[in-house]
Amino acid sequence: MSAGAEPYREALAAAVRHATLWLESQSTRRVGPQQAARELAAAFDGALPQSGMAPAAVVDYLARHAEPGLMAMPSGRFFGWVIGGTLPAAMAADWLVSAWDQNSVLRYATPAIAAIEDAAGHWLLQLLGLPEESDVGFVTGATMANFTGLAAARWRLLKNAGWDLERDGLFGAPRIHCLVGKERHETVDVALRYLGMGSPTVVPADSQGRIEAAELDCALDRIALDHAAASGQSSPPALVLVCLQAGNLHSGAFDPFGAAIAVSKAHGAWVHVDGAFGLWAAAVPELAGLTAGVEGADSWATDAHKSLNVPYDCGVVAVRDAQALRSAMGLNASYLLQDVDGAGHPSQRVPELSRRARGVPVWAALKSLGRDGVAEQIRRLAASAAQLAEELTAVEGVEVLNDVGYTQITVAFGDDAMTRRVADRLIADGKVWMSGSRWHGRDVVRISVSNWSTDAGDLATAVDAVRTALEAARSERS
Ligand SMILES: *Cc1c(COP(=O)(O)O)cnc(C)c1O
């Protein structure tokens, strides 16, 4: 017999209470955590207790003891990495997903989830301007979305070369030549490594980190020539995979998709796009030029937990060639669509079998915003970044290093030692959080505007915090 709601009631009420307090604290609390993991450990480790604790008491204990070790990532003053906040509808939907406890493997077993995720997938394709026939999978993040898209690429390229990947594996398979831009995200390399495809050929990038289409063309020519020389003119062409990027971590820049995809396609390449946060520019008419031509690729990776602002963990992969995706990921391998209506089981589009219904918060976010709301959210992130860059440029001693055309700003404060000192001051001060990094041989501070709730007051606080940190760092030096 089901226990009903009674055993859950107090624990859920406690969770609502603590979550509300946490959210309320976001506008005023210091952004960084107050204690390190080492200091927090005492409350959580030790021997596993012999006897248990009531569920609501566990939630109270957890919330109380975790609090000093939490980072105010949902705060509008958090500008670190590319970490968005969470939209209200998405957060509440995510709680519901836990309560529903649907294991979203099979279409007929969890039909509500299949229908909701299908709808979310279609909406995403429309919003991001991607081919409607693409298959969509909901994975943990862009890392796994890259992995999944590239696994489909690997399957298709080898299939076309007459190689049976399921039966014969990779050993002895024809080589796949992978090309990436100099400033691609490292998770692309990780995904290629997971897939046994080794290290990619690196193509030069311009001052903003965009792949140079002409250099890509040369690299592709070189591969074709070397391949022909090694295996004879009449042999099948080299297998080529090109990874492009929408949204450079430091500059926010976009690869020139029209030109880069044209030269890649001329060489018969599969083109994959890592658009973790950048692909969302396509949802904004005024920014859509940034992603122009991106629909000509074969697979796309993005995050819903960045620019869209759903809770972790939620990434999205879209693959035009559904057969390649399902063959690479399906349990049955080999494109047998064993379901009732031919739509395929959700598990055929992702690496996992059992998983939570992570597409549901995406649907909720899109439903709550609508097309206009998504456009407005992304437009505002970019506009806030532009405003912040302008105001920071006016502060003496601040150098904005990139052309700010999307959500990312990279700044330096003179030499590396000074930049590091300012970065440390900013973190210690606690009013904002910005990430230290290195770009083009310099220590930098990276600012990402990725939270729907960042407002004019937060931007003013950020400029003020930078000014204060700079002054403090200068007086420290003199
Ligand atoms: C964040 C990011 C990734 C990795 O995404 P996860 O969601 O952390 O797995 C990949 N590429 C780019 C461009 C990113 O910004």
Side-chain angles (χ1 to χ4, degrees):
M1 195 180 85
S2 163
E6 210 40 49
Y8 296 91
R9 210 179 298 280
E10 277 186 44
L12 288 177
V16 171
R17 215 164 44 241
H18 288 294
T20 306
L21 283 172
W22 166 247
L23 294 171
E24 273 168 2
S25 77
Q26 297 303 303
S27 55
T28 50
R29 68 182 290 126
R30 56 174 282 122
V31 180
Q34 269 125 320
Q35 287 180 19
R38 194 172 3 89
E39 302 166 88
L40 293 155
F44 299 106
D45 69 1
L48 176 65
Q50 197 63 41
S51 51
M53 190 188 255
V58 171
V59 174
D60 282 334
Y61 186 97
L62 202 51
R64 198 168 61 247
H65 292 285
E67 207 267 351
L70 296 176
M71 168 83 91
M73 287 182 175
S75 159
R77 294 170 292 123
F78 183 88
F79 299 97
W81 300 285
V82 191
I83 290 183
T86 299
L87 291 163
M91 187 186 296
D94 195 59
W95 287 16
L96 208 46
V97 164
S98 290
W100 285 345
D101 199 22
Q102 303 288 288
N103 187 349
S104 315
V105 177
L106 299 166
R107 202 170 173 75
Y108 64 80
T110 51
I113 306 307
I116 295 165
E117 290 192 340
D118 279 354
H122 288 141
W123 284 353
L124 285 172
L125 294 174
Q126 287 167 8
L127 204 52
L128 304 178
L130 302 180
E132 299 261 350
E133 74 269 23
S134 306
D135 241 8
V136 175
F138 291 96
V139 292
T140 52
T143 304
M144 286 313 289
N146 281 330
F147 168 82
T148 307
L150 295 174
R154 184 183 68 171
W155 186 90
R156 173 53 71 199
L157 289 168
L158 290 175
K159 183 78 178 172
N160 288 353
W163 185 265
D164 188 335
L165 184 61
E166 286 103 85
R167 194 188 60 205
D168 299 327
L170 269 188
F171 297 106
R175 168 158 183 214
I176 296 175
H177 300 264
C178 304
L179 295 102
V180 299
K182 183 162 188 288
E183 296 197 20
R184 80 285 182 193
H185 197 271
E186 253 173 77
T187 54
V188 171
D189 299 62
V190 168
L192 292 172
R193 203 189 314 147
Y194 291 166
L195 289 161
M197 298 206 280
S199 297
T201 299
V202 177
V203 178
D206 69 10
S207 68
Q208 298 301 307
R210 289 177 287 244
I211 199 168
E212 301 263 22
E215 297 276 358
L216 176 61
D217 198 20
C218 289
L220 288 162
D221 279 342
R222 229 167 9 247
I223 287 169
L225 285 171
D226 290 351
H227 177 78
S231 48
Q233 290 294 344
S234 58
S235 67
L239 308 183
V240 187
L241 169 55
V242 174
C243 301
L244 301 177
Q245 177 168 263
N248 176 293
L249 274 189
H250 290 98
S251 68
F254 293 68
D255 284 347
F257 295 112
I261 292 174
V263 299
S264 302
K265 286 292 163 193
H267 284 84
W270 177 293
V271 180
H272 173 79
V273 177
D274 173 7
F277 64 97
L279 221 43
W280 296 87
V284 188
E286 311 90 279
L287 296 178
L290 297 171
T291 55
V294 78
E295 68 284 355
D298 300 285
S299 55
W300 304 264
T302 192
D303 268 319
H305 59 217
K306 288 182 179 168
S307 313
L308 182 62
N309 283 210
V310 309
Y312 294 94
D313 41 26
C314 191
V316 181
V317 63
V319 180
R320 187 197 297 271
D321 180 344
Q323 186 192 38
L325 176 62
R326 295 179 197 185
S327 298
M329 291 295 143
L331 266 190
N332 45 302
S334 258
Y335 50 89
L336 295 168
L337 304 183
Q338 301 167 326
D339 61 305
V340 275
D341 50 13
H345 294 299
S347 58
Q348 289 176 300
R349 302 177 216 140
V350 296
E352 300 88 358
L353 191 60
S354 299
R355 69 171 174 91
R356 72 191 276 100
R358 61 169 61 89
V360 173
V362 175
W363 184 90
L366 297 177
K367 181 80 171 170
S368 78
L369 291 174
R371 191 185 261 279
D372 289 347
V374 176
E376 182 51 29
Q377 178 167 309
I378 307 300
R379 183 185 293 120
R380 207 149 46 77
L381 298 179
S384 298
Q387 185 191 331
L388 195 49
E390 194 183 314
E391 289 179 20
L392 287 173
T393 305
V395 177
E396 196 264 311
V398 180
E399 273 178 89
V400 173
L401 301 179
N402 65 311
D403 300 339
V404 179
Y406 193 49
T407 58
Q408 308 296 104
I409 312 167
T410 291
V411 297
F413 305 96
D415 63 24
D416 283 358
M418 188 63 180
T419 297
R420 278 199 302 274
R421 201 171 299 130
V422 176
D424 291 347
R425 282 279 177 172
L426 274 170
I427 300 292
D429 183 42
K431 289 196 191 64
V432 295
W433 184 284
M434 296 168 178
S435 310
S437 181
R438 274 188 77 77
W439 195 48
H440 296 177
R442 293 182 75 174
D443 278 345
V444 297
V445 169
R446 213 174 66 203
I447 303 168
S448 176
V449 186
S450 300
N451 190 317
W452 69 274
S453 74
T454 294
D455 61 15
D458 296 323
L459 298 180
T461 301
V463 176
D464 215 45
V466 169
R467 198 180 281 120
T468 308
L470 191 55
E471 278 162 17
R474 276 182 177 150
S475 62
E476 201 180 304
R477 171 176 273 187
S478 55

